[in-house]
């Protein structure tokens, strides 16, 4: 029976790959336009309500106008991170590669290991001023065997947001300093008729996983080391079981009824509508707080920001955009677009538009930014005093492990798994990579 299922799965994947390849040939598969423009194909997930969408579309439009007749970037929108990852994995198995890729869930590593990415080191050496704009820590995580293969444009400095109005209604004066105090606040909020948390479980459970990771990283020296270790294989640790126990309680007692199976958008919606008191997320969400299309009126004035308990913050160098073009002409053209996409000027635009923290040390956090986003300015001050600085799971755990949590969280919530069993499943998933 297992062999039959595996064979059927292989056939289905093969058919899907053929379909995707055919579609790419039919729509936008040309490499040079009739007018002689070099076509750069770029599938992306900056779609719809994604906080980067407005910014990204403008970058593409401006670049195409400036390079008209020479280079044209043709984009393909793929809604949803998991959909993007799944399609890119299939494309990496085909001969119909796009010219540029993004790196959610370790896609840069996967593309590099498949031998598909282009070494960007010669381009950086030819453009020394451009090379100097990057944070050295970011360059390090985008370097493989001495070669740079990715170019980032933001950094992952992450805490959590809270609704000051809801805190006040529940009689809570300030964010919790310890995990015990935080769970006391959950109970206080719940007793006041307020849902404490926005959580999710689908597509690697981004929001829930941030809490999970922060619990591990703040548990002591061993947990801190674990969250700063790439590709760990043993999750059968007391501090991880303890964190999973806390996550189980959060999912069972302190979140929305639709959290099990929910994607990020659903969890974010509850916070933006003022229906939950807390959400873990990065500064890129700040721009949504005063967006009338996304948030309830006046939310921006109600939102505060905090480090996780025990003075814990995510401080994660990001893996960046990469080039997959298979000929020099398209590689050169793709690099021209990447230069624009990750330039300090474009990073500042994103900072001003959405509060996204730039990767480049050359981008100044100006008074204009601080005035527009006081919550960001507050967060940066708090982050300087963080005692535990950790990386997050999508950058350090094997890809199949990050996917496994979307199975584990619902099972924990429903009582189908104990925290010990959940830790064992994460270990089993990780060991499959050895």
């Amino acid at each position: 029976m297992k062999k039959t299922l595996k064979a059927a799965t292989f056939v289905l994947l093969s058919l899907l790959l053929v379909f995707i390849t055919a579609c790419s040939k039919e729509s936008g598969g040309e490499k040079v336009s009739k007018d002689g423009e070099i076509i750069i194909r770029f599938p992306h997930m900056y779609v719809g309500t994604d906080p980067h969408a407005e910014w990204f579309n403008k970058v593409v439009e401006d670049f195409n106008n400036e390079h008209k007749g020479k280079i044209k970037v043709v984009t393909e929108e793929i809604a949803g991170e998991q959909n993007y990852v799944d399609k890119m994995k299939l494309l990496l198995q085909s001969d119909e590669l796009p010219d540029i890729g993004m790196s959610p869930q370790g896609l840069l590593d996967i593309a590099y290991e498949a031998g598909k990415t282009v070494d960007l080191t010669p381009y950086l050496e030819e453009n020394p001023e451009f090379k100097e704009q990057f944070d050295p820590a970011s360059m390090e995580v985008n370097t493989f065997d001495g070669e740079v293969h990715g170019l980032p444009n933001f950094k992952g400095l992450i805490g959590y947001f809270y609704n000051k109005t809801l805190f006040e209604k529940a009689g809570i004066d300030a964010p919790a300093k310890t995990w015990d105090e935080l769970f006391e606040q959950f109970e206080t909020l719940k007793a006041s008729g307020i849902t404490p948390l926005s959580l999710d479980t689908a597509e690697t459970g981004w929001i829930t996983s941030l809490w999970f990771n922060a619990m591990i990283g703040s548990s002591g020296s061993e947990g801190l080391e674990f969250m700063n270790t790439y590709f760990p294989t043993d999750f059968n640790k007391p501090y991880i079981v303890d964190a999973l126990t806390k996550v189980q309680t959060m999912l069972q007692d302190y979140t929305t009824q639709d959290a099990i199976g929910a994607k990020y958008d659903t969890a974010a919606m509850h916070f933006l509508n003022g229906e939950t008191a807390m959400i873990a997320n990065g500064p890129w969400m700040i721009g949504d707080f005063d967006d009338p299309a996304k948030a309830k009126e006046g939310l921006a004035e109600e939102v505060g920001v905090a480090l996780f308990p025990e003075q814990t913050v995510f401080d994660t160098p990001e893996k960046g955009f990469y080039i997959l073009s298979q000929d020099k002409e398209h590689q050169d053209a793709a690099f021209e677009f990447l230069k624009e996409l990750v330039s300090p000027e474009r990073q500042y635009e994103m900072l001003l538009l959405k509060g996204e923290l730039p990767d480049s040390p050359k981008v100044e956090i100006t008074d204009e930014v601080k005035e527009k986003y006081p919550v960001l300015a507050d967060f940066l001050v708090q982050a300087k005093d963080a005692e535990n600085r950790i990386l997050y799971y999508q950058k350090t755990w094997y890809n199949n492990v990050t996917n496994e949590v979307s199975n584990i969280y619902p099972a924990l919530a429903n009582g189908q798994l104990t925290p010990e069993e959940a830790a064992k499943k994460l270990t089993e998933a990780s060991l499959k990579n050895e």
Side-chain angles (χ1 to χ4, degrees):
M1 181 63 178
K2 289 182 178 179
K3 289 183 178 179
T4 302
L5 287 173
K6 287 181 179 179
T9 301
F10 177 78
V11 171
L12 287 172
L13 286 173
S14 299
L15 289 172
L16 182 57
L17 180 58
V18 170
F19 174 75
I20 289 173
T21 303
C23 288
S24 65
K25 288 180 178 178
E26 291 173 7
S27 57
E30 67 274 16
K31 293 189 175 183
V32 180
S33 73
K34 294 178 181 178
D35 298 326
E37 291 176 315
I38 299 172
I39 302 297
I40 297 301
R41 293 187 294 123
F42 188 176
H44 67 94
M45 59 183 189
Y46 293 157
V47 182
T49 59
D50 187 285
H52 303 83
E54 179 183 352
W55 167 83
F56 178 75
N57 290 335
K58 187 175 186 303
V59 176
V60 173
E61 181 181 2
D62 290 349
F63 181 87
N64 284 343
N65 287 335
E66 184 178 348
H67 294 80
K68 191 171 184 178
K70 298 180 180 178
I71 305 171
K72 182 178 182 179
V73 177
V74 176
T75 64
E76 178 189 355
E77 295 185 346
I78 303 175
E81 179 178 295
Q82 194 60 53
N83 291 333
Y84 181 83
V85 171
D86 291 343
K87 179 161 185 179
M88 286 299 294
K89 285 181 177 178
L90 286 169
L91 288 174
L92 287 170
Q93 299 176 43
S94 76
D95 293 327
E96 292 295 325
L97 289 173
D99 294 285
I100 299 174
M102 303 169 67
S103 192
Q105 299 184 34
L107 273 179
L108 173 57
D109 299 73
I110 294 169
Y112 172 77
E113 289 168 6
K116 304 291 187 180
T117 56
V118 175
D119 177 13
L120 303 178
T121 310
Y123 290 104
L124 295 175
E125 292 175 348
E126 292 171 6
N127 297 267
E129 291 186 8
F130 176 71
K131 180 181 179 180
E132 290 174 1
Q133 80 175 43
F134 296 100
D135 185 326
S138 297
M139 281 290 92
E140 184 177 347
V141 302
N142 283 276
T143 299
F144 300 82
D145 297 324
E147 299 176 352
V148 177
H149 284 258
L151 298 178
N153 67 339
F154 73 99
K155 65 175 60 177
L157 199 65
I158 301 171
Y160 72 93
F161 301 107
Y162 64 97
N163 188 307
K164 294 182 288 187
T165 300
L166 296 182
F167 268 37
E168 184 178 348
K169 286 181 179 179
I172 299 174
D173 297 328
K177 298 298 184 183
T178 67
W179 290 104
D180 286 344
E181 183 185 354
L182 182 68
F183 275 77
E184 290 172 5
Q185 291 183 351
F186 292 163
E187 194 60 34
T188 299
L189 287 161
K190 185 177 179 180
S192 301
I194 299 167
T195 303
L197 288 164
S198 278
L199 296 177
D200 56 355
T201 65
E203 296 183 344
T204 83
W206 167 251
I207 297 169
T208 304
S209 293
L210 290 177
W211 291 106
F212 177 36
N213 290 179
M215 292 169 190
I216 297 172
S218 61
S219 62
S221 58
E222 290 185 19
L224 180 64
E225 182 180 358
F226 186 92
M227 284 312 306
N228 288 312
T229 298
Y230 283 88
F231 309 118
T233 55
D234 186 3
F235 289 77
N236 296 312
K237 309 286 187 181
Y239 51 84
I240 294 179
V241 172
D242 179 67
L244 287 167
T245 302
K246 289 184 171 68
V247 168
Q248 184 178 48
T249 301
M250 291 162 68
L251 288 166
Q252 290 178 340
D253 298 336
Y254 300 122
T255 190
T256 57
Q257 291 184 349
D258 59 0
I260 309 306
K263 296 182 179 181
Y264 164 81
D265 288 346
T266 300
M269 174 194 69
H270 288 301
F271 185 81
L272 294 172
N273 286 339
E275 297 165 358
T276 57
M278 289 175 254
I279 187 170
N281 207 6
W284 51 81
M285 192 183 193
I286 293 174
D288 291 347
F289 298 152
D290 61 1
D291 185 342
K294 297 179 181 179
K296 79 178 188 72
E297 185 177 357
L299 180 70
E301 286 69 40
E302 298 179 2
V303 175
V305 66
L307 303 184
F308 293 96
E310 310 297 343
Q311 291 291 93
T312 303
V313 70
F314 290 93
D315 190 353
T316 310
E318 295 291 328
K319 298 199 174 179
F321 304 101
Y322 47 93
I323 295 176
L324 297 167
S325 305
Q326 299 301 295
D327 63 82
K328 187 66 163 57
E329 183 179 48
H330 282 76
Q331 291 170 7
D332 291 348
F335 181 74
E336 286 302 311
F337 181 63
L338 284 196
K339 282 173 61 179
E340 180 73 18
L341 195 64
V342 305
S343 68
E345 293 77 17
R346 294 300 187 181
Q347 290 187 44
Y348 183 77
E349 287 177 3
M350 191 63 201
L351 170 63
L352 198 58
L353 181 67
K354 291 292 179 184
E356 178 89 274
L357 282 175
D359 169 77
S360 177
K362 292 190 174 184
V363 180
E364 182 184 358
I365 310 297
T366 63
D367 290 339
E368 181 182 19
V369 173
K370 294 176 183 177
E371 183 177 347
K372 184 174 182 180
Y373 300 121
V375 68
L376 176 62
D378 181 22
F379 181 51
L380 292 175
V381 171
Q382 293 185 50
K384 288 181 180 179
D385 297 326
E387 296 178 7
N388 298 308
R389 294 182 177 273
I390 60 176
L391 309 177
Y392 60 82
Y393 70 123
Q394 288 186 355
K395 303 301 177 184
T396 58
W397 296 358
Y398 285 113
N399 186 60
N400 67 318
V401 180
T402 65
N403 289 328
E404 183 64 23
V405 298
S406 64
N407 298 320
I408 284 173
Y409 293 151
L412 281 171
N414 296 329
Q416 296 172 329
L417 280 180
T418 66
E420 290 82 3
E421 290 168 338
K424 184 178 179 181
K425 281 191 171 293
L426 291 174
T427 299
E428 291 170 351
S430 188
L431 289 173
K432 289 179 180 178
N433 297 281
E434 293 198 331

